[in-house]
Amino acid sequence: MTDREWAGEVREKILQKYEAVAPRNEHKVPYSAKNGVFDDHSKDIYWWTNGFWGGILWQLYKVTEKPLYRSMAEELESKMDEIFLHSAWMDHDSGFRWLPTASADYTLTGSEEAKNRIRIAADNLAGRFNLNGRFIRAWNEDPRSENKRTGWAIIDCMMNLPLLYRASDLFDDPRWKAIAVAHADTAMTAFIRPDGSSNHIVAFDPVKGGVVRTYGGQGIQVGSSWTRGQTWALYGFTLSYVHTKDEKYLATARKVADRYIERIPADGRIPVDFDQAPDCDWEDETSAAIAACGLLTLEKILADTDPAAADRYHAAAMRLLKVLVADGNFDPAADEILDRCSGAYHDKEHNFPIIYGDYYLIEAIWKLTGDELFIW
Ligand code: GLY
């Protein structure tokens, strides 16, 4: 069986599963699931992952054109408009919120409302750029601590930059793209370590610029290798290359990808942090799914210029996907597919379903079958 045929079979299982999953979750905004039932984040509409439910629905709609998927995705996108009314809810994650929703919607339907949301979200994200240090600020103030986090940036933000590239393309105005490029240039040196691994949090001096220190963030500690952060870097720099064709972003993405591949454990299951103890069974399947998307995108970019590297990235993506699919839950009675994801190393709970794990798995499978709706 070819990899494409294999992916076609997986796609059919996903489509069948969602015939049951979507109708029984019609008005929910899932983040996780317990005992096979999605939770509902409708009351926490600001939450950074809420857009991924829309992303799943739009990817399904792209393939099936079922009106239910579209109406559910449109309902979510409208609910999320409330976020625009609360400055404290708006942060660096505007890309995660509005690329899988408004941008996907606009690409498929040409909705003017969706296009308007892209502009509002991109303006806000661009407004977080600090010229002193040339970085996009991450979170807002932490009400639980003295730390104002004014100079903090995080590697995750590489995945939000496509909102700025997209806005520049859509509105034929280079301002947003210039900010994305400035942040990417800073991230390349401040976040990516000589061995190709990535810091999670970098604190800059918000007045003078320059790196003050790094933090371990969602990984174990300063200097360790939080695996999802590695994949935000891997896929994020790949996408900056896709949007700019600047070779230095491709070189950075490859360096991160090569290091990630080197550290995939023998069983192909990705830990929360590559530096965690070998007997710790905490996994993060979101990292594996995001990595697969990044690696398959690198494969496509390099297919003509460096076919050996393209094959290597394809093989690594397949290795990750085969394990995810073998461990995944395709029973239509359960809402989630992946159930061994983790938010952060120091969280109390590990190995549970997280919605964007399922989103990136679907995106990766659709890439293999040629059905992908490109939302980034
Ligand atoms: N963007 C936050 C995370 O990856 O958990």
Side-chain angles (χ1 to χ4, degrees), residues 47-64:
W47 186 237
W48 74 275
T49 68
N50 287 347
F52 288 105
W53 180 233
I56 289 175
L57 295 164
W58 285 119
Q59 295 289 355
L60 295 171
Y61 180 71
K62 161 91 181 348
V63 170
T64 63

Side-chain angles (χ1 to χ4, degrees), residues 44 66 108 127 135 191 208 217 309 313 331:
D44 301 315
K66 279 186 193 295
L108 286 174
F135 65 92
F191 283 86
K208 296 187 197 133
Y313 293 137
D331 180 352

Side-chain angles (χ1 to χ4, degrees), residues 79-319:
K79 275 188 198 165
M80 287 174 61
D81 283 349
E82 203 195 334
I83 304 170
F84 291 130
L85 300 175
H86 299 262
S87 63
W89 291 359
M90 299 288 290
D91 59 23
H92 60 283
D93 277 336
S94 287
F96 284 131
R97 292 187 179 91
W98 285 286
L99 286 167
T101 52
S103 172
D105 181 2
Y106 180 73
T107 304
L108 286 174
T109 73
S111 156
E112 283 300 316
E113 275 186 27
K115 190 175 178 189
N116 187 43
R117 290 179 181 112
I118 295 168
R119 186 172 194 139
I120 295 171
D123 274 344
N124 191 280
L125 182 59
R128 303 184 71 82
F129 184 71
N130 186 336
L131 198 50
N132 309 321
R134 302 175 67 76
F135 65 92
I136 292 175
R137 178 183 173 163
W139 303 285
N140 302 317
E141 295 74 24
D142 181 352
R144 297 158 305 181
S145 112
E146 294 290 290
N147 194 332
K148 290 200 174 306
R149 308 192 287 199
T150 317
W152 283 24
I154 60 176
I155 192 61
D156 322 30
C157 196
M158 287 305 300
M159 288 298 293
N160 289 304
L161 302 186
L163 176 69
L164 302 175
Y165 295 127
R166 181 105 171 99
S168 274
D169 286 348
L170 270 183
F171 299 101
D172 192 22
D173 180 336
R175 289 178 300 129
W176 296 288
K177 184 175 181 178
I179 286 173
V181 163
H183 179 87
D185 287 351
T186 302
M188 227 170 38
T189 53
F191 283 86
I192 306 304
R193 304 172 186 139
D195 70 357
S197 66
S198 173
N199 294 310
H200 181 202
I201 300 172
V202 174
F204 295 90
D205 184 318
V207 178
K208 296 187 197 133
V211 173
V212 177
R213 59 162 294 186
T214 64
Y215 292 89
Q218 285 162 250
I220 298 179
Q221 60 196 11
V222 173
S224 75
S225 193
W226 175 48
T227 62
R228 190 163 63 250
Q230 313 312 299
T231 60
W232 293 143
L234 192 171
Y235 201 11
F237 278 104
T238 302
L239 290 168
S240 271
Y241 173 76
V242 167
H243 287 284
T244 64
K245 297 291 178 289
D246 189 328
E247 291 290 332
K248 67 179 185 281
Y249 300 142
L250 180 57
T252 304
R254 290 185 63 170
K255 183 171 161 177
V256 174
D258 292 344
R259 181 64 179 152
Y260 189 91
I261 292 168
E262 255 172 45
R263 300 209 70 184
I264 297 175
D267 67 2
R269 294 190 173 84
I270 301 299
V272 181
D273 192 308
F274 280 127
D275 295 314
Q276 74 193 34
D279 61 352
C280 173
D281 75 347
W282 297 344
E283 277 182 53
D284 190 6
E285 293 180 322
T286 71
S287 173
I290 299 158
C293 289
L295 292 166
L296 291 173
T297 308
L298 283 176
E299 178 201 358
K300 196 168 157 192
I301 291 167
L302 294 165
D304 294 331
T305 52
D306 190 346
D311 287 351
R312 207 170 59 246
Y313 293 137
H314 177 87
M318 290 308 298
R319 189 168 161 222

